[in-house]
């Protein structure tokens, strides 16, 4: 298992390098001068030229990219062009807000999605099944930012129950988390329902029913565990989607998180900050996917047995 984890971590290196190269290329091709951003609109051309020479911006693309990668390997992601603060410090200050939103959204999606999916499968074609299917399709179709605006209009403007902007307390996190969770919850409901339907039609489930096993034991002891593997994959992918979706939601709700930082970096052509933020998000997503793969071994003993055989 440790060997497998080590291989997965090593495979993340070319992925991170590819992401950084693409972003560096895009930012290099976009209009705008970082030196102008740093010095402001009233700086003279001579001052801008001097700063460009000092920062090495006059070097060719590959020299600048190689220098950036070399510094990044040592943990130095550079300083922001806008604030002149270390990129690592800015990310460390902003990421907790993004992480809290994504974590709460995932908790809501799993807490509601899995039980509703199980009920829909067990009571197929019932009113509960039809209702959950309609709601799943509805939430899948609604963009997160639009749902967020509707929640602000209803819960903040009309009912005055929750604050519309900010991230100072848990109340500020409710609407952003629900907005992000809706689409992922719908996906988990549909996946759980389809996998449960497939499992409860298997021969061993029919055998358990024939032996007189209680329905609850059949569902919770036999069916759920075997149906969870695809659901865990969906949850892992959902976490990555939630980190990306926070980029828009944070701007809707005025939250100073990683997503807002990325948007502001694009607007001001703050290359070090943008690349650092995206690389951090990519690493977080890669680690989450690795954790999901490791969880497979605890859910499905057959996968764990494969690792044991390979080790022998």
């Amino acid at each position: 298992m440790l060997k497998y984890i080590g291989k997965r971590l090593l495979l993340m290196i070319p992925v991170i390098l590819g992401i950084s190269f693409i972003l560096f290329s895009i930012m290099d091709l976009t209009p705008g001068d970082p030196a102008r951003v740093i010095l402001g609109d009233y700086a003279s051309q001579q001052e801008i030229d001097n700063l460009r020479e000092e920062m090495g911006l006059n070097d060719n693309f590959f020299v600048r990219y190689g220098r950036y990668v070399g510094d990044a390997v040592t943990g130095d992601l550079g300083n922001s062009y806008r604030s002149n603060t270390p990129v690592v410090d800015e990310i460390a200050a902003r990421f907790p807000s993004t992480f809290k939103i994504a974590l709460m959204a995932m908790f809501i999606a799993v807490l509601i999605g899995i039980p509703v999916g199980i009920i829909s499968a067990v009571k197929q074609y019932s009113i509960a099944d039809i209702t959950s299917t309609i709601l799943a399709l509805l939430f899948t179709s609604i963009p997160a930012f639009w749902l967020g605006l509707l929640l602000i209009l209803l819960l903040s403007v009309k009912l005055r129950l929750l604050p519309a902007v900010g991230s100072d307390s848990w109340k500020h996190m409710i609407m952003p988390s629900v907005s992000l969770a809706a689409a992922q919850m719908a996906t988990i409901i549909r996946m759980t329902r389809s996998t449960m339907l497939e499992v409860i039609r298997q021969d061993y489930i029919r055998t358990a029913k024939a032996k007189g096993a209680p329905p609850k034991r059949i569902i919770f002891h036999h069916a759920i565990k075997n149906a969870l593997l695809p659901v865990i994959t969906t949850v892992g992918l959902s976490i990555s989607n939630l980190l990306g979706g926070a980029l828009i939601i944070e701007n809707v709700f005025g939250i100073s998180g990683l997503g807002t930082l990325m948007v502001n970096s694009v607007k001001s052509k703050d290359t070090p900050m943008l690349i650092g933020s995206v690389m951090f998000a990519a690493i977080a997503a890669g680690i989450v996917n690795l954790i999901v793969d490791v969880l497979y071994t605890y859910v499905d003993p057959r996968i764990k047995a494969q690792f044991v055989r390979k080790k022998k």
Side-chain angles (χ1 to χ4, degrees), residues 13-273:
I13 295 176
V15 174
I16 299 302
L17 285 174
I19 292 172
S20 64
F21 181 81
I22 292 172
L23 286 174
F24 204 93
S25 302
I26 293 173
M27 294 302 289
D28 189 63
L29 293 172
T30 54
D33 188 350
R36 173 71 69 180
V37 172
I38 296 171
L39 295 177
D41 295 332
Y42 298 102
S44 65
Q45 188 60 45
Q46 183 62 42
E47 291 173 329
I48 293 174
D49 292 339
N50 291 339
L51 183 59
R52 286 185 60 85
E53 187 65 32
E54 182 182 339
M55 296 175 62
L57 297 176
N58 293 326
D59 296 333
N60 67 63
F61 172 83
F62 293 102
V63 171
R64 287 184 283 116
Y65 177 70
R67 186 164 54 235
Y68 177 83
V69 172
D71 292 338
V73 169
T74 63
D76 181 14
L77 297 178
N79 290 348
S80 169
Y81 290 161
R82 293 182 298 109
S83 61
N84 199 32
T85 56
V87 170
V88 175
D89 294 344
E90 286 273 2
I91 294 174
R94 301 288 191 98
F95 184 70
S97 297
T98 302
F99 182 73
K100 283 190 291 186
I101 295 173
L103 189 63
M104 285 185 64
M106 195 70 263
F107 178 76
I108 294 170
V110 171
L111 186 66
I112 298 176
I114 292 179
V116 171
I118 293 171
I119 294 171
S120 296
V122 173
K123 299 183 177 181
Q124 189 180 14
Y125 303 132
S126 65
I127 295 177
D129 181 28
I130 295 171
T131 302
S132 65
T133 301
I134 293 173
L135 290 177
L137 292 173
L138 179 64
F139 286 135
T140 303
S141 306
I142 297 177
F145 73 89
W146 191 69
L147 179 59
L149 293 174
L150 290 180
L151 291 176
I152 291 174
L153 182 63
L154 176 62
L155 300 179
S156 295
V157 178
K158 296 291 184 182
L159 301 179
R160 300 183 182 277
L161 295 177
L162 296 172
V165 296
S167 58
D168 298 331
S169 67
W170 64 270
K171 289 184 178 181
H172 291 84
M173 297 295 178
I174 293 177
M175 289 194 294
S177 300
V178 171
S179 302
L180 274 179
Q184 307 306 324
M185 178 181 65
T187 302
I188 291 173
I189 289 174
R190 293 164 63 190
M191 178 59 70
T192 305
R193 180 183 183 275
S194 62
T195 54
M196 277 294 295
L197 283 174
E198 184 178 347
V199 168
I200 61 179
R201 292 167 181 166
Q202 297 295 320
D203 291 339
Y204 69 90
I205 297 294
R206 286 195 286 267
T207 302
K209 289 180 180 179
K211 289 182 177 180
K216 288 185 178 179
R217 178 175 177 81
I218 293 173
I219 296 299
F220 290 102
H221 185 73
H222 297 288
I224 288 180
K225 192 171 183 180
N226 290 317
L228 276 181
L229 202 60
V231 177
I232 290 175
T233 303
T234 303
V235 171
L237 294 174
S238 296
I239 294 175
S240 302
N241 293 335
L242 290 173
L243 289 174
L247 186 150
I248 298 175
I249 290 298
E250 286 176 4
N251 282 272
V252 172
F253 289 94
I255 297 173
S256 181
L258 197 62
T260 307
L261 187 64
M262 292 182 190
V263 173
N264 293 334
S265 300
V266 172
K267 291 179 180 177
S268 60
K269 201 178 179 180
D270 193 347
T271 302
M273 186 63 72

Side-chain angles (χ1 to χ4, degrees), residues 1-10 307 310-311:
M1 179 60 71
L2 292 177
K3 186 177 180 181
Y4 171 75
I5 294 175
K7 286 182 178 179
R8 286 293 302 271
L9 292 174
L10 288 175
F307 284 109
K310 288 180 180 178
K311 188 175 181 180

